Amino acid sequence: MTVDVRTREEPKQVLQQMEVHSKWVDHFRGKENEPFYDLAFDFIARQFGPATADPVIDAGCGSGTKSMHLARRGYKVLGLDISESILEEARKAAAQAGVASQIELRRTDLTNIDLPAQSVKRAICWGVLMHVPAIDKAVAELARILAPGGTLIVSEGNRRSLQAVGLRTLKRLLGRERGELIDTPAGLEHWEETSSGRFMTRQADIPWLIREFERHGLKLERRQSGQFSEIFMLLPWKFARQLVHGFNNTWFRAMPWAGPAYGNLLVFRRPTS
């Protein structure tokens, strides 16, 4: 598979289809995963501080799960996503959860965000940059909109985690790798064919990502582990998934070292001077 300029635009089209979002809801938004999200968003709330009248930007809000976690903690939220169809699903979910009055949803492209420069005090971008081929443009836009003193929290998968290295090695030994792997400075891109078009998921080179945000004037204040492993997606047995979730939650609370963990939470701030 050749990943040319035209191909690199295809993930943007795939992200506008419901199929990929439905798959993510099934894998990540179930009840088994809720205890981790409660821990993670309590952590995020501590980084953001008390809710104010200014909305938190949920960049790449998808089905609205992250926006609703923020809303339940008292924040007003402006959710941004490229897909109008998934935004409509997010509106329905927010209404069902009773938090629709706290959440505004707007269609925009993260490589060209329709917000003024340095106008945002708090923002999250959770598991989104990994699907953006033009990650340098998205990083530049997220940095551009962050105000002096503002906080941006980014969650991405770590290419050097124990899970990523172990699964890559196992797939190579078994000859089970599907699609095409492309090593880039930003991370390891996995391209595969889907029914909606070619799609890309990137395991980030976390040091590169930190440097790229810092190049645009932000400062890393904290690197925290997210979920140690997402291998629960591959396990058909509930008890085994529960063991993984339990380990993830314990690691997050007691051993927040991000280096070996697949999920990494990066807390950036823009200096005031």
Side-chain angles (χ1 to χ4, degrees), residues 29-264:
R29 312 294 187 248
K31 290 183 179 180
E32 293 178 3
N33 226 4
E34 280 302 298
F36 169 75
Y37 281 110
D38 284 336
L39 289 171
F41 277 85
D42 285 345
F43 166 82
I44 288 170
R46 291 194 296 271
Q47 306 308 305
F48 282 159
T52 66
D54 296 306
V56 176
I57 302 302
D58 183 1
C61 63
S63 60
T65 301
K66 303 177 294 295
S67 295
M68 289 185 285
H69 275 287
L70 291 165
R72 293 188 192 105
R73 288 160 175 79
Y75 297 99
K76 293 185 179 298
V77 183
L78 173 57
L80 308 176
D81 204 276
I82 197 171
S83 169
E84 186 57 48
S85 58
I86 195 61
L87 287 174
E88 187 56 36
E89 292 300 312
R91 291 185 185 97
K92 294 176 184 176
Q96 292 172 357
V99 293
S101 63
Q102 293 172 252
I103 299 174
E104 178 187 350
L105 298 169
R106 186 183 303 175
R107 186 177 185 276
T108 195
D109 186 331
L110 291 192
T111 62
N112 187 23
I113 301 173
D114 187 20
L115 290 172
Q118 300 192 3
S119 63
V120 171
K121 294 182 178 179
R122 291 175 285 202
I124 65 169
C125 186
W126 184 298
V128 179
L129 295 176
M130 63 180 63
H131 302 300
V132 180
I135 187 174
D136 54 337
K137 293 181 180 179
V139 167
E141 281 293 276
L142 289 168
R144 179 186 67 81
I145 64 173
L146 195 67
T151 301
L152 167 67
I153 299 178
V154 175
S155 176
E156 286 292 301
N158 174 18
R159 70 171 295 174
R160 295 184 176 88
S161 66
L162 292 180
Q163 172 191 303
V165 173
L167 285 180
R168 282 201 303 271
T169 302
L170 185 61
K171 288 178 179 179
R172 186 162 53 247
L173 291 174
L174 297 177
R176 297 289 298 274
E177 188 64 67
R178 295 182 299 175
E180 181 178 356
L181 292 178
I182 301 178
D183 203 345
T184 75
L188 189 62
E189 296 180 352
H190 176 244
W191 288 81
E192 62 180 326
E193 294 282 356
T194 74
S195 60
S196 302
R198 291 173 181 174
F199 192 55
M200 187 273 292
T201 301
R202 181 189 301 104
Q203 294 175 355
D205 185 297
I206 300 297
W208 179 91
L209 189 59
I210 293 169
R211 291 194 302 271
E212 192 70 5
F213 274 109
E214 290 181 337
R215 191 169 70 86
H216 290 282
L218 305 192
K219 179 182 178 182
L220 180 73
E221 289 217 339
R222 181 165 180 171
R223 180 180 174 185
Q224 157 87 33
S225 72
Q227 288 186 312
F228 186 88
S229 173
E230 294 180 353
I231 201 169
F232 55 82
M233 295 190 303
L234 305 177
L235 301 176
W237 313 284
K238 183 176 181 180
F239 79 91
R241 295 195 304 272
Q242 289 175 331
L243 287 175
V244 176
H245 287 304
F247 181 84
N248 283 343
N249 297 344
T250 299
W251 184 275
F252 186 85
R253 286 192 299 260
M255 295 279 291
W257 181 30
Y262 184 73
N264 273 216

